[in-house]
Amino acid sequence: MLEQQRLARAQRAAALAEAGSLAEAVRRGGIPARVDLTLSEALVLGLWQLGVRRYVGIFGHGSTDLGEVLRIYQEAGLLRVFHVRHETAAAHAASALRWVTGEPAAVFTSIGPGALHAFAGSLVAASDGLGVWHLYGDETTEDEGPNMQQLPRGEQGQFLRLCQTMGAAYCLHTPAALPEALRKGQAAVDHPYRQGPCFLLLPMNTQPAVLPAFPLAELPLPVAWAPGPAADGPALDEAADLLLSAERVVVKVGRGARGASAELLDLLDLVDGVAVWTPIASGIVPAHHPRALAVSGSKGSSCGNRATDQADLLLAVGTRFVCQSDSSRTAYPGVRRVITIDADPATANHYGRNVPLVGDARTTLLLLNARLRQRLAGASKGERWLAQCRPWRAEWDAWRQARYDCPTLVDPLLGRPLLTQPAAIKIAADWARPLDVPLFFDAGDVQANGFQVVDADRPGQTYTETGASYMGFAASALLATALAAEPFYGLALTGDGSFTMNPQILIDGVVHGATGCLLLLDNRRMAAISGLQLAQYGHEFATSDGLAVDYLAWARSVPGVLALDGGDSPASLRQALDQAHGHRGLSLIHLPVYSGDDPLGGCGAFGSWNVGSWVAATTARRHDIAL
């Protein structure tokens, strides 16, 4: 029986590979229109039809039947399976793949702890709007007794309830419900403006269950969804009038504005506006544009935060107002009216005194810009606000340059000069740009300094996981260089704390052929939290142990990884980056970096934030502003 099933699966896989599509395979007669097949194979067929060609994860007793189907379909050249050493790393790699290339992938796990690891990693996809399929083994449906590794409470559907808190979720308790499960998942994973994860739970006894005479035509086809512009009516007229009557327009740019760079720049000139952005939106407005004031928020630039502090009108485009991004809703004390462009109605109506324009950013901006031109009738609003902002940008650029001009400081722990994080990140970013190497930033101090240092002039140069600020994301993201249909070279910037959260890339990257470099900035501490503790309470606590870990020996212990010492100077770091790029595989550069109280050692923070000892003042300010 099993041999017959294997042969039938292999024949179907071969027919599908030859035909190139399921519909064509059926038309040619290579696969019957109705076929007996297991739930696991129907799932793989359905996901294949939706564009899923990459599976990454760990098999266990809760996913053996799925694994057998994937083995046969991989042998037919239809897909590739990447086995890794931690399910959270699998979730990060799949998220990075969708982010960089747009390719959908499926994360697979067994039941229990593995699923919980992947579920934790799915926070990245949920927070940053990335469509990823998650396939978890689940408890059997006949309730014959406690299933090993299920949540031990003796209740049904516990993993389903858990997964529903993060995104779309469906338990395939009834195998024939698969087409509907895929449609619901498709609506989340390929959502037109807010993608997210979908969790399909596969009970261990339904995976091998046979669907007799299953009609393949029920499996959903890909759908090209695209939101349209906001309604062409009074709201657009009101927005245009407000933009032209305001004296100090600030435009906050989020990731939802990707694809609208030209329209944003056009609007800025029409209304004498300046642009600030969230870290995740880096490059949508070129960093060196005269009207660009960089990142704003609790860890934003000084010029960006001065602009938001002085603005009288806010135009928010494709941003969901994360607490750090708008300084816990206190970033705009002088704003009297808000205009929000977003395809999601709830986000579009986040602030008070608001004109919500619910629709796609680019097409809505086209309509809005046309109204502005009509009202201006060839006249110009002038550049009074831009002239006021220019010195702030020049001051911030000089402030950054002072840190680049002093690239090393004597580290109090090691007693010798080390590169500072701003200098090291600047060197790495300048090295990567002409080579078209994307940068992945990990959470923590590396990320916070990177906000201000990297000057992206187009989207795709920098990927900063600020949605969840998940430690260990950047290292795991390098696996996407191997998952991609067209492999690429990547540079991950991580701290010692983040790297030790998810170091599996050293093994998984070699096994699967990742091409990239991990730049490990080592200050032997969780410096972002140390700095916060010192700023709030004057003492750091339990964020540093001073332990000297030999990361180079760790890297050298994995065959195929090139381990490099980044040294203590700009020249030595550049040399190490060049060596890493010349290596056909994965490299790790260990770079000890300065950690101390010299202000030239970091980029600092200029905004407010609703945390710790700042809560009372920030909350009071928010209610005073009442926006």
Side-chain angles (χ1 to χ4, degrees), residues 325-396:
S325 176
D326 71 352
S327 294
S328 298
R329 216 162 173 158
T330 68
Y332 311 103
V335 163
R336 293 296 168 257
R337 293 301 301 272
V338 179
I339 303 165
T340 308
I341 300 175
D342 201 280
D344 176 55
T347 303
N349 203 35
H350 174 78
Y351 286 122
R353 304 194 295 276
N354 176 45
V355 179
L357 301 178
V358 180
D360 168 68
R362 189 186 72 82
T363 53
T364 300
L365 284 168
L366 283 171
L367 292 177
L368 184 56
N369 289 347
R371 274 173 165 73
L372 293 168
R373 279 197 169 82
Q374 185 181 44
R375 283 160 170 74
L376 287 167
S380 171
K381 193 179 174 183
E383 295 186 346
R384 287 187 60 185
W385 175 226
L386 177 60
Q388 184 178 342
C389 294
R390 275 180 177 142
W392 301 342
R393 173 64 196 247
E395 179 184 337
W396 181 63

Side-chain angles (χ1 to χ4, degrees), residues 199-573:
F199 305 89
L200 296 182
L201 304 182
L202 311 176
M204 291 181 288
N205 62 316
T206 67
Q207 289 178 48
V210 174
L211 290 160
F214 178 76
L216 296 175
E218 288 190 5
L219 295 174
L221 294 167
V223 177
W225 284 309
D232 191 349
L236 277 168
D237 290 323
E238 183 181 5
D241 292 338
L242 287 172
L243 285 164
L244 292 178
S245 62
E247 296 181 355
R248 299 177 298 280
V249 175
V250 66
V251 180
K252 185 60 173 280
V253 180
R255 183 169 172 259
R258 60 194 184 279
S261 296
E263 292 74 20
L264 281 166
L265 297 179
D266 193 14
L267 179 136
L268 290 171
D269 286 334
L270 289 169
V271 304
D272 186 28
V274 294
V276 296
W277 52 82
T278 64
I280 202 172
S282 175
I284 294 176
V285 172
H288 294 102
H289 191 276
R291 294 186 179 275
L293 297 185
V295 178
S296 67
S298 63
K299 294 184 179 178
S301 67
S302 60
C303 56
N305 282 337
R306 289 181 76 172
T308 59
D309 188 69
Q310 296 296 314
D312 62 358
L313 186 142
L314 165 66
L315 170 60
V317 185
T319 176
R320 65 188 184 98
F321 314 106
V322 175
C323 63
Q324 288 194 50
S325 176
D326 71 352
S327 294
S328 298
R329 216 162 173 158
T330 68
Y332 311 103
V335 163
R336 293 296 168 257
R337 293 301 301 272
V338 179
I339 303 165
T340 308
I341 300 175
D342 201 280
D344 176 55
T347 303
N349 203 35
H350 174 78
Y351 286 122
R353 304 194 295 276
N354 176 45
V355 179
L357 301 178
V358 180
D360 168 68
R362 189 186 72 82
T363 53
T364 300
L365 284 168
L366 283 171
L367 292 177
L368 184 56
N369 289 347
R371 274 173 165 73
L372 293 168
R373 279 197 169 82
Q374 185 181 44
R375 283 160 170 74
L376 287 167
S380 171
K381 193 179 174 183
E383 295 186 346
R384 287 187 60 185
W385 175 226
L386 177 60
Q388 184 178 342
C389 294
R390 275 180 177 142
W392 301 342
R393 173 64 196 247
E395 179 184 337
W396 181 63
D397 284 338
W399 182 89
R400 292 194 301 167
Q401 191 61 47
R403 280 143 184 80
Y404 308 150
D405 291 341
C406 182
T408 63
L409 293 169
V410 176
D411 184 76
L413 178 63
L414 298 185
R416 62 184 177 88
L418 297 178
L419 281 166
T420 66
Q421 286 203 43
I425 294 169
K426 173 68 171 173
I427 292 164
D430 288 348
W431 173 87
R433 188 173 295 108
L435 297 172
D436 201 25
V437 172
L439 303 177
F440 297 97
F441 277 90
D442 233 323
D445 214 37
V446 175
Q447 185 183 67
N449 283 291
F451 290 176
Q452 299 192 53
V453 169
V454 175
D455 292 322
D457 52 25
R458 61 172 178 79
Q461 292 179 322
T462 300
Y463 297 91
T464 300
E465 202 293 284
T466 54
S469 201
Y470 208 121
M471 297 180 71
F473 169 78
S476 301
L478 285 180
L479 188 59
T481 66
L483 270 62
E486 295 184 9
F488 61 94
Y489 189 93
L491 176 61
L493 290 88
T494 186
D496 52 297
S498 289
F499 172 69
T500 51
M501 294 267 186
N502 269 119
Q504 296 84 3
I505 188 63
L506 294 182
I507 302 171
D508 296 334
V510 172
V511 170
H512 298 299
T515 53
C517 175
L518 185 72
L519 178 55
L520 199 165
L521 280 63
D522 181 12
N523 53 19
R524 304 185 190 180
R525 67 183 60 242
M526 302 288 189
I529 306 306
S530 296
L532 194 60
Q533 290 174 331
L534 288 168
Q536 291 186 336
Y537 302 105
H539 299 276
E540 58 178 301
F541 176 67
T543 54
S544 173
D545 51 33
L547 185 65
V549 177
D550 193 340
Y551 291 102
L552 291 177
W554 190 348
R556 291 188 188 108
S557 71
V558 182
V561 176
L562 176 64
L564 297 166
D565 184 349
D568 53 16
S569 71
S572 63
L573 177 55

